[in-house]
Amino acid sequence: SDMFGGDEVNAVVVDIGTSTVKAGWAGEDTPRFVFSSRIGAVPEAEARAGAAGAPAEGGEDVDMADAEAPAADRLAAGRDGDPTPRKRRKAPRAAPGGRRFLIGDEQLGKPTHGGHPVQMCSPFDAAGVVKDWDAMEAVWNHVYDRCLLANPGDHPLLTTERLLPDVAACNSAREAHAQLLFEQLQVPALFVAKSPVLCAFACGRPTALVLEVSALQAMAIAVHDGFALQKSIQVSPLGGDALTTLLRERFAHRTPPVSFAPIFSARKDWLLAGNPVGAAAAGPAAAAPGEADSG
């Protein structure tokens, strides 16, 4: 325990929300990386077929053994420049659940991958509970291997959890998340903080009434002396996504109507028919059945 005591702990702080993922280092004012928690997925066989023979970025070939290894393991010096060899963590699964996940704006810049449409998905269900643990594992691998470039076994982790009215579901989700972090990522130490408590502490108040508005829900929680009161939770289904939908409908009924098209938009049936991506992206902005948005 003395290893992670004091003020010199180089801990990782990660907040995985229903809309965005925020990751950074303890002691810094703002997160280092913020990206969408909605990710793309393609079957692994299709992903390998599309990537076969494709040159690496910059036109150079890369040894596949190096390409599959975590980025943190390929950095011999580590984040702090220490040349001491690091303990390698368990290699992340290349395709959890038989799917290849595409995470972040860079990988989701195109509506297709290897000639196949990208299926957009989320690790969370409509209530904000993690339903797809393979997708959640892919998000954690992206945080460490692509964003922080750190070995999870070298840094203690502080992550957040949302409070749920169902205590049993909250405890079950916490246990499953801890199992993933300890067994697959092999973090040396873990602290799971309740997000309302962190919001109150960020304002310098151990006792406060916290209103959290996420993409899926709005929640009011009372925090007393640093403890979130489970029985005080009040949940409303009107979150950020509902407000965005309402605003789009109001603007669509204006005269003349105002159209809001995503940055990247393509119709699945258009792509499956073999039409070019550019023509599909330039199609009608209104959402249609079978439409996949990547931005």
Side-chain angles (χ1 to χ4, degrees), residues 11-271:
V12 172
V13 181
V14 180
D15 177 21
I16 300 181
T18 55
S19 177
T20 58
V21 178
K22 297 170 283 293
W25 299 95
E28 297 184 346
D29 295 334
T30 58
R32 287 284 188 96
F33 302 92
V34 179
F35 58 91
S36 175
S37 56
R38 287 191 58 82
I39 61 180
V42 293
E44 172 63 7
E46 297 179 358
R48 289 188 178 276
E57 294 183 3
E60 298 180 359
D61 294 333
V62 177
D63 184 27
M64 289 307 296
D66 295 335
E68 293 294 335
D73 295 342
R74 301 197 301 267
L75 298 179
R79 177 175 178 263
D80 53 3
D82 182 9
T84 305
R86 301 288 187 179
K87 179 182 176 181
R88 294 175 63 92
R89 71 178 171 100
K90 184 187 300 183
R93 294 186 292 167
R99 295 171 292 171
R100 175 64 58 89
F101 293 100
L102 308 175
I103 306 174
D105 295 338
E106 182 179 354
Q107 296 191 33
L108 293 176
K110 297 180 180 180
T112 61
H113 182 83
H116 300 277
V118 176
Q119 302 288 337
M120 299 301 298
C121 61
S122 172
F124 302 94
D125 60 12
V129 182
V130 179
K131 64 176 181 179
D132 191 340
W133 288 103
D134 291 331
M136 180 61 71
E137 179 183 343
V139 170
W140 278 108
N141 289 332
H142 181 81
V143 167
Y144 279 103
D145 297 340
R146 300 296 180 183
C147 296
L148 299 177
L149 298 181
N151 189 339
D154 294 337
H155 306 278
L157 171 66
L158 185 149
T159 186
T160 63
E161 71 170 353
R162 296 179 64 255
L163 283 180
L164 302 173
D166 188 349
V167 179
C170 189
N171 293 337
S172 177
R174 185 189 305 117
E175 180 180 354
H177 217 150
Q179 181 178 358
L180 168 65
L181 294 172
F182 279 121
E183 294 184 1
Q184 187 62 33
L185 274 74
Q186 298 182 345
V187 296
L190 171 66
F191 185 85
V192 181
K194 296 176 173 56
S195 56
V197 177
L198 296 183
C199 293
F201 284 170
C203 299
R205 296 180 179 273
T207 300
L209 178 61
V210 179
L211 176 62
E212 284 191 334
V213 180
S214 65
L216 301 178
Q217 296 174 335
M219 184 179 301
I221 307 170
V223 177
H224 180 72
D225 286 341
F227 293 92
L229 305 182
Q230 190 86 22
K231 294 183 179 180
S232 68
I233 298 178
Q234 298 293 324
V235 181
S236 170
L238 299 179
D241 289 347
L243 296 177
T244 300
T245 302
L246 177 61
L247 289 175
R248 291 185 64 172
E249 291 178 353
R250 294 210 171 197
F251 279 112
H253 287 84
R254 292 185 60 180
T255 304
V258 180
S259 175
F260 294 93
I263 299 176
F264 304 104
S265 178
R267 292 186 49 158
K268 293 179 184 178
D269 53 356
W270 182 277
L271 296 174

